[in-house]
Amino acid sequence: MTATDVPTGEPATGDGATGDGATEDPTKAWHKTACVLCSANCGIEVRLDGRSITRVRGNKAHVSSKGYTCEKGLRVDYYQNAKGRVTSPLKRLDDGTFVEVDWDTAIAEVSAALRGVAERHGADKVMYYGGGGQGNHLGGAYSTATRAAYGIERRSNALAQEKTGEAWVEGHMFRAHTHGEFAEAEVAVFLGKNPWHSHGFPEARRVLKEIAADGGRALVVIDPRRSETADLADHWLRVRPGTDAFLVAALGGVLVQEGLTAESWLADNAVGVDETTAAFAAVPVAEFAERCGVDEELVRVVARRMAAANGSVAIYEDLGIEMAPHSTLVSYLHRAVSVMLGAYGALGGISAHTMLAPLFSYGATGNEPRDPVTGGLVINGLVPCNEIADGILSDHPERTRALFIESGNPVHSLAGSEAFRRAMRACELTVVIDPFLTETAREADWVLPASTQYEKPETTFFASGYPENHAHVRAPILEPLDGTLAEPEIHRRLVRATGILDDVDLSPLHEAAAEGAEAYATAFMGLAVEHPAVAAVGAIVLYETLGPTLPDGMAGAAALWFSAQQVAMRHPDQVRAAGHVGDGPALGAALFEAMVTGEDGVAFTRHEHGDSFDLLGTPDGKVHLAIPEMLDELARLGEAPTSYTSEEFPFVLAAGERRSFTANTVVRDPEWRKKDREGALRLSPADAASLGVETGGRVRITTPGGTAVAVASVDDTVMDGHVTLPNGMGLSYSPAGGEPEMVGVAPNELTSTDWRDPIAGTPWHKHVPARLEAVAP
């Protein structure tokens, strides 16, 4: 594969055709799609030679990314054309081997097996895990129909090991998801995040360089490692691993104790102010600064700089704190700091925003049930990932008996990989939908082969823009590989196998779809009232009746009709402001049509900055600053340890660092990495010297969860006592079709389900006590 590398984040360029595809040579045509390797989903254009992606460049017309891409997106052919695709349903035999079966047999037997588990134990003993990855959420939209048809209520996904603590906090404070306006922020703060590699907002590297070059703005990075983003920062707060809570509490303490909060703004726009500011007034700033290892004066300088920005402060948390000690508390503390600065709704601050499909139900916060087996808090209906294996492996009568896994690789991505393998083997039934024979698929009873993200229509629901929000529904650029099916079709067949729609005549919907948008909306709603099954499995009904009327190859996008209607109903003025015309169902239909035909993406809502408070979900339209559980934890923070290491495990391992050539695990071919092929263990020069190891040498890593050997990289960006391994390594891959090889260390062979947040149950991937030993050549 050839491509133009753009490590600085500038637009990728290529020669040949101009982007309209008007060329005689099909290999010179550019096809518009998106990168699927992180949540930014930048728009790209690709050239094809047969089924190979031969060149990639940024799409300058893309509504969000505007031509931006990074080096990762330029190598997506390593995802699309990796070896090891599954091209027929696989059934596990009693001897442990797989046998290929036809689709009709697979659907019939999987359907019967799911119903059998429900008959023996109850449908609530089946867990659905997944629902989408970094670039594909449409499968999750159709899974709602399968779950309804089979009565599956228990579910989880990767959000429950990353974002549930954050969601719990935002539910209490805003009843909505918030995001920062980093392109406009006077002060941008990155907490446990390196957006140079992990992005998280449009044109990340451009924005970072613009902030760094502007003397009137400030870039603040809180990170134990001198990351690429820290290299650009005006203020790098080199916090000791796992002590972020002390630092952020100290920043809030300075604001309150020095009278730097936005008092009049708080009086008008927030409740719970007095008890919150009282809690921060009691923070021992000097002591907490010492505990986190950051000079007290630097803490005060940064707090004052944030206060001087008059609310134009945007803070971004990510996995560096979401998978470390005090994660839910830190999620609260930095939002409390933002609110005390008056940043909510300010230009360059934070705001709630519209969503095509909410990833969390923020209105349910405070009424979460407990898992009947483990007792963990089930936030937004998601069982904590750290507790799935424990629950299955217990003898509790309410334990999960079957797993239905889609667009996820929990054996590799969840803490304690071996425990999840044992849990899968303990289940009566395990079904995996995936294009590849992943680590999880290798343990399954059934593997149903899906098309890749470039062989079907796709989109994501990550969009968090404000005041303008965008959606990009991308068309397939390749035909599905023979023997595979896109997830909408897999779910359609599974739903049909239950007979739930057998007594429903869908012909009126087919006829209405031919008549137009308003006729279809009226017919759909009427049929849903007459037959509740239509509403229950609505995504499949849309796929079967509206899908055939969509542009060629786009039937799988039909489920977005409902999302478009919901957005138009909730935000009609803002949908019209974004350029869509109509009222009622006609407005939703106009938005839907723009989404499924707009190859560069579309704006689906456009607000004014004064609208931020209209997007809050709180009953009084104000920010609820005080969360009693968090204020209690803040009061006890002085009693908490600053280190979780021991004489036996003296190092802190951050398992899963983002680097230039690591991404999510959909890229299985290790050859996609231009450098650091094995995913080196980074350690400081002093630690390397004490171990007697040099770059290129081998180091044995031992943790309470397991042991592995990694290649060493002596790196002066790493703090003494702190070592890092990249994410996405240790995947089984067989380029020649023989026995699979594993390159690098799979991080979760070293993690443990025992280390978790006390509220959300999220794991400590980024803070694993470890022991290191040099391995003789």
Side-chain angles (χ1 to χ4, degrees), residues 289-302:
E290 181 181 7
R291 282 180 162 231
C292 69
V294 178
D295 182 75
E296 179 189 350
E297 184 57 28
L298 179 56
V299 174
R300 294 186 180 277
V301 166
V302 169

Side-chain angles (χ1 to χ4, degrees), residues 21 448 457 708 769:
L448 304 181

Side-chain angles (χ1 to χ4, degrees), residues 15 20 354 390 455 591 674 720:
D15 53 18
D20 59 5
T354 55
D390 293 345
E455 298 168 357
L591 173 58
K674 279 194 165 184
D720 293 348

Side-chain angles (χ1 to χ4, degrees), residues 162-163 191-194 198 222-224 239-244 316-327 330 654 656-658 722 763-767:
E162 301 171 356
K163 303 296 183 182
L191 174 59
K193 182 172 183 62
N194 180 15
S198 62
I222 300 171
D223 200 314
V239 63
R240 291 192 184 107
T243 63
D244 304 82
Y316 201 133
E317 72 168 70
D318 211 345
L319 305 187
I321 63 100
E322 290 168 350
M323 291 181 162
H326 306 294
S327 60
V330 178
E657 179 185 43
R658 304 286 181 89
H722 187 220
W764 290 10
H765 286 5
K766 310 299 184 183
H767 198 93

Side-chain angles (χ1 to χ4, degrees), residues 99 207 326 352 772:
V99 63
V207 171
H326 306 294
L772 305 182

